[in-house]
Amino acid sequence: MSEFSCEVVRVEIEPHPNADAIELAKVGGYVSIVQKGQFQTGDLAVYIPEAAIVPDWLLENMGLQGKLAGPDKNRVKAIRLRGVFSQGLLYPVSDLNTQGEKRHYVIVGAFDELDRCDFIDVEEGEDVAEKLGITKYEPPIPTHMSGRLKGGYYDFAFKYDFENIKKRNNLIEDGEQVVFTEKIHGTFMVVGILPVWIAEERDLNRFFVSSKGLFANGHVLDWEAEENQNNLYVKTALDNDLFGKLMALLDSLDEDNQRPMYLMGEVFGTGVQDLGYGSNKPQFRAFEMAYKDTDGRIDYAPHDALDDILEHIGVERVPVLYRGPFNKARLLKYTEGKETVSGSGTHVREGIVVRPVNERTHPRYGRVIVKSVSEAYLTRKNATEYN
């Protein structure tokens, strides 16, 4: 699962193909453009990723006041410099030898008149976001996506997110059988249903609906409340009869096999985000079906099973762009290009989601699933980024 972090990493430096005063610093699968001579291959640096909000003191130390994105000019976004795509910033990590012990540190204050400064010790691989006061940008929630909440569902909620393949570039193995699905620029929605016995025991409605941010914090929307009837998520769930479809699916199982069930997908169309996919009203496409066990484990339906389930209940899936052996060239090919959701290539594609045909987990990172995001999408104008 995805976690926001600013890690202390080793950099690899390469020349910029189109400029002499700047260089390319590689961190995993990411490339960040830096001033020439600022870093050498093997140096340690703090990698500050996209969507980071950088505090004023750090902007001053880096000479970036007023140069980043957002109304306060303090948010990191991907850019293109002299024809090369750059993601994230790098802040130097220095060495300090004291009493024969080598320590790594980052400067967290300005130098004084005696050439002294404040610093903190750091270690390679450490997440120093909190130490440096760097936070993740959280977009505001538009009125039509907010609403009255309902309690009691905390135990049935969970966080759903996963990393960019550039951060986990060895998670998918060459030649592994994978599926590429199109990543749609809309807003995440989860619709869930509880078995009858759980709902009765907890005195809860069997059905619930939520957004990514709300659900990650254990919240669901009160879909029965009158003031929520025009809420985007509630209206989409009701208009598409998603509660009824989940009920028919869950109730078709033996009671012993019934578990909390979740249908996750993307709501998109004009007015949802800046990319509308040629649709004048909100549409829904599913990308996951999941179940929660009594021990709290989340089980996801494998690719082929998901296809069968969605066909059975009459819910459309996000486009499947490719199925077959994985390689990096094919990944890049399908990441870029035009969207296929509308059928007419209305605008740029957001990117793709990559998952093995057969679900598997990694001993350190958990479920194996990654995203690959289009450069054209990340550098488009007038972008919106609601959850």
Side-chain angles (χ1 to χ4, degrees):
M1 287 295 152
S2 174
E3 295 290 344
F4 178 78
S5 63
C6 298
E7 295 180 5
V8 177
V9 295
R10 298 279 176 185
V11 301
E12 179 184 346
I13 302 299
E14 293 183 359
H16 192 294
N18 305 314
D20 295 327
I22 51 181
E23 296 177 306
L24 310 183
K26 293 189 173 182
V27 177
Y30 293 104
V31 170
S32 179
I33 293 180
V34 297
Q35 293 296 319
K36 187 171 184 178
Q38 184 180 12
F39 297 97
Q40 302 296 321
T41 293
D43 282 354
L44 287 173
V46 178
Y47 180 69
I48 306 172
E50 293 171 79
I53 299 295
V54 183
D56 291 341
W57 70 265
L58 186 50
L59 290 175
E60 183 177 354
N61 282 9
M62 299 179 76
L64 294 176
Q65 304 100 311
K67 296 182 180 180
L68 300 188
D72 297 323
K73 305 298 182 183
N74 62 352
R75 175 156 49 96
V76 180
K77 287 197 72 175
I79 59 173
R80 193 178 294 277
L81 287 175
R82 299 294 297 270
V84 174
F85 188 61
S86 177
Q87 290 178 276
L89 305 174
L90 289 170
Y91 190 56
V93 171
S94 301
D95 292 332
L96 179 67
N97 289 302
T98 58
Q99 299 178 349
E101 180 186 1
K102 189 173 184 179
R103 297 155 58 192
H104 304 299
Y105 69 94
V106 292
I107 296 171
V108 293
F111 283 90
D112 63 15
E113 67 278 2
L114 298 178
D115 221 21
R116 298 174 302 190
C117 66
D118 295 326
F119 64 86
I120 57 172
D121 290 329
V122 300
E123 297 179 3
E124 184 174 353
E126 181 182 359
D127 175 12
V128 295
E130 185 174 352
K131 286 183 176 180
L132 300 185
I134 301 171
T135 58
K136 183 180 180 181
Y137 171 68
E138 297 293 346
I141 302 175
T143 302
H144 66 294
M145 295 184 188
S146 62
R148 176 176 164 183
L149 305 181
K150 189 169 185 176
Y153 291 85
Y154 184 84
D155 290 343
F156 306 106
F158 55 90
K159 181 179 180 180
Y160 181 86
D161 209 353
F162 44 86
E163 298 285 12
N164 194 304
I165 195 169
K166 290 182 178 180
K167 188 172 182 179
R168 301 281 181 257
N169 55 354
N170 294 317
L171 201 56
I172 304 289
E173 301 171 358
D174 273 357
E176 181 174 7
Q177 290 292 311
V178 296
V179 176
F180 294 171
T181 53
E182 183 165 343
K183 199 171 188 305
I184 299 176
H185 184 52
T187 182
F188 172 99
M189 181 177 80
V190 56
V191 178
I193 181 173
L194 302 177
V196 171
W197 66 270
I198 292 180
E200 291 178 347
E201 183 180 272
R202 298 290 191 98
D203 193 25
L204 297 172
N205 194 303
R206 295 186 70 189
F207 310 111
F208 53 90
V209 59
S210 195
S211 67
K212 177 184 284 189
L214 290 175
F215 203 55
N217 291 302
H219 303 309
V220 302
L221 291 157
D222 186 351
W223 62 271
E224 295 176 302
E226 184 176 349
E227 61 263 44
N228 279 356
Q229 295 310 295
N230 287 321
N231 172 276
L232 177 67
Y233 306 104
V234 171
K235 186 170 174 51
T236 300
L238 295 176
D239 287 351
N240 290 274
D241 190 28
L242 297 181
F243 294 146
K245 291 173 178 178
L246 283 184
M247 183 172 66
L249 181 62
L250 185 64
D251 290 351
S252 68
L253 302 174
D254 295 335
E255 187 171 319
D256 290 343
N257 293 321
Q258 292 187 5
R259 299 174 286 172
M261 179 184 292
Y262 309 83
L263 179 67
M264 289 166 274
E266 206 77 12
V267 182
F268 62 94
T270 300
V272 178
Q273 298 273 20
D274 62 292
L275 304 182
Y277 298 88
S279 176
N280 292 323
K281 64 178 184 178
Q283 305 286 329
F284 176 77
R285 296 281 185 93
F287 50 69
E288 293 276 26
M289 178 71 76
Y291 313 87
K292 192 165 190 177
D293 288 330
T294 53
D295 62 1
R297 187 180 74 252
I298 305 297
D299 290 332
Y300 293 92
H303 167 71
D304 292 336
L306 179 60
D307 268 348
D308 293 341
I309 292 169
L310 295 179
E311 182 178 0
H312 176 69
I313 64 176
V315 173
E316 198 166 359
R317 185 177 183 172
V318 297
V320 176
L321 302 178
Y322 168 77
R323 174 177 176 161
F326 175 82
N327 64 48
K328 296 292 176 64
R330 194 168 283 120
L331 174 81
L332 296 176
K333 172 186 174 182
Y334 282 95
T335 298
E336 305 293 336
K338 296 289 187 179
E339 55 84 20
T340 67
V341 178
S342 68
S344 57
T346 304
H347 46 65
V348 67
R349 177 181 300 167
E350 178 178 345
I352 59 175
V353 175
V354 184
R355 57 189 288 190
V357 171
N358 299 312
E359 284 283 315
R360 66 180 178 88
T361 59
H362 186 277
R364 179 177 178 184
Y365 302 119
R367 186 188 183 209
V368 175
I369 181 171
V370 289
K371 60 188 174 185
S372 181
V373 184
S374 160
E375 293 182 8
Y377 166 82
L378 289 172
T379 55
R380 73 196 189 284
K381 303 297 184 183
N382 303 314
T384 61
E385 296 293 342
Y386 308 126
N387 282 331

